[in-house]
Amino acid sequence: MSHTIETEKCIGVPECVEACPVACIHQGKGKNNNNTNWYWIDFSACIDCSICVQVCPTQGAILDREEPTLQKSS
Ligand code: SF4
Ligand code: SF4
């Protein structure tokens, strides 16, 4: 399993990127529907540590489960 960043809830401030111990969070191309940068988690590399959830300023933007329909990845 993996964590998931809801593309349309991410506000693009990359606190999670700096905190992730395995560097599996990447920037998506362009902007999301709210016209902000957005980031995505590589499901195959995430180790489910939840550190990203603890540092994300947007409550609910990162889910502690794999939800591929909510997260774009490129
Ligand atoms: S749960 Fe851990 S490994 Fe997975 S994306 Fe978040 S910080 Fe990275
Ligand atoms: S910390 Fe939260 S809002 Fe910031 S880039 Fe990561 S998921 Fe998006």
Side-chain angles (χ1 to χ4, degrees), residues 5 9-17 39 52 55-58 61-62:
I5 296 175
K9 288 189 177 174
C10 179
I11 61 170
V13 179
E15 305 285 351
C16 58
V17 176
Y39 288 78
C52 54
V55 301
C56 178
T58 308
I62 304 178

Side-chain angles (χ1 to χ4, degrees), residues 23-52:
C24 69
I25 305 176
H26 309 290
Q27 186 167 7
K29 289 188 184 135
K31 307 289 186 186
N32 64 14
N33 287 343
N34 297 314
N35 205 31
T36 74
N37 292 337
W38 57 280
Y39 288 78
W40 59 279
I41 294 171
D42 179 348
F43 292 150
S44 66
C46 174
I47 59 170
D48 270 345
C49 69
S50 288
I51 291 173
C52 54

